[in-house]
Amino acid sequence: MTEIQSDSLRKLLHRILTTRPEELGCETCCEELGLLAELESRGEDAASLLPLVRLHLENCQSCNEEYSALLTALKEAQSTNPL
Amino acid sequence: MILCPVDQHTIKSRTNQDWLQALRKPASPEALEELRAILMRGLRAALAGRGNGDVDALAEDFAQEALLKILASLETFRGESQFTTWAQRIAIHIAFSELRRRRWKDVPLQAFTQSQDGNELTPALLTSPNSSPEAQVTRRDLLRNVEDLIFEELTEKQRTALLAIVQDGFPLPVVAERMQINPNALYKLLHDARQKLKQRLEQKTGLSGRELLAFFEEE
Ligand SMILES: [Zn+2]
């Protein structure tokens, strides 16, 4: 059995107090990442077009990591050097 | 869009419809190889420098797995993005899910227990958050209350998952897999838990979530 550390409680309290009535789950967020990446690469205001996706990314490390990786992959695909 | 000569030469510009047509059974071998090359390149870039071992071998494995998944999911493509963006997203998801699984496979989910020191809520002090010595005390009270509520209000499953993620740094999808539910369902479970805790804190203190947040985070 492990005790809860006060640092974790602090993080948790922040997360609790910033809970919104409507939030997206990981899979739903994941499905929108392609669209989000293309909107953001065109400089469009994705935060207002896809606010729930953006919010999820701020709070979910796994999805955020995949989004960054997707951006890297897409950038690579657009780069001029084929290898 | 301006394409440089190399791009025009190496990347055939297929429309989304072209891709779908070329990949539906019987899939064109040329389109398959082209897609595989795109996925490999994206995966190599995304996996580079992450300390995961042989990037080329991993990229090859994940690209193969992604190709199968993509071919099986063609009918779910909604055309919201470029087809190749959608395909890359699937490949990245496959790769990162598997790498997370490997990284966490030997780490057990823990059971948590309440700490032993006392925990009184003093709601009166929370109504005057600006007086600094009291504010210190109430911040601590607030934390103790969160801890109490975690044990009083949440199910075992909610508590274990929430703390695994917040304290032990588990990725949510890994916890979901351990609990044998899908990540969306786990997210919902945790969202319900957070909503409940927020509501109970608001009830106990008579302050709104926004007020509590401002109070808690002021220095
Ligand atoms: Zn997520």
Side-chain angles (χ1 to χ4, degrees), chain B residues 45-157:
Chain B
L47 296 172
R50 300 181 53 93
N52 292 312
D54 186 344
V55 168
D56 285 342
L58 284 174
E60 199 166 332
D61 286 353
F62 293 142
Q64 177 59 25
E65 200 180 325
L67 270 183
L68 296 176
K69 168 90 182 168
I70 289 163
L71 292 178
S73 317
L74 289 177
E75 303 314 317
T76 69
F77 174 61
R78 292 176 300 190
E80 288 176 339
S81 67
Q82 298 283 321
F83 178 82
T84 49
T85 301
W86 177 77
Q88 296 240 46
R89 197 264 297 159
I90 290 177
I92 295 285
H93 183 62
I94 285 177
F96 279 68
S97 299
E98 178 56 26
L99 291 174
R100 275 194 295 264
R101 203 174 290 134
R102 291 183 196 172
R103 203 176 309 141
W104 287 86
K105 88 177 154 36
D106 296 323
V107 188
L109 285 178
Q110 307 197 63
F112 286 85
T113 181
Q114 197 155 11
S115 56
Q116 293 307 307
D117 48 2
N119 35 38
E120 295 291 304
L121 176 65
T122 48
L125 291 178
L126 282 171
T127 56
S128 57
N130 295 324
S131 47
S132 143
E134 287 86 349
Q136 284 305 314
V137 175
T138 55
R139 257 176 221 126
R140 201 162 59 220
D141 287 341
L142 202 53
L143 288 179
R144 283 187 182 144
N145 264 269
V146 174
E147 185 172 16
D148 282 353
L149 291 172
I150 287 170
F151 287 92
E152 287 162 14
E153 302 282 345
L154 301 188
T155 64
E156 172 88 40
K157 214 174 199 174

Side-chain angles (χ1 to χ4, degrees), chain A residues 36-53:
Chain A
L36 182 70
E38 289 183 0
L39 287 173
E40 292 197 333
S41 75
R42 288 201 296 267
E44 293 188 47
D45 181 8
S48 62
L49 291 168
L50 296 169
L52 294 179
V53 179

Side-chain angles (χ1 to χ4, degrees), chain A residues 3 13 15 25 31 44-45 62 66 82:
Chain A
E3 287 194 3
L13 179 60
R15 194 69 189 88
E31 283 167 16
E44 293 188 47
D45 181 8
S62 310
E66 289 184 29

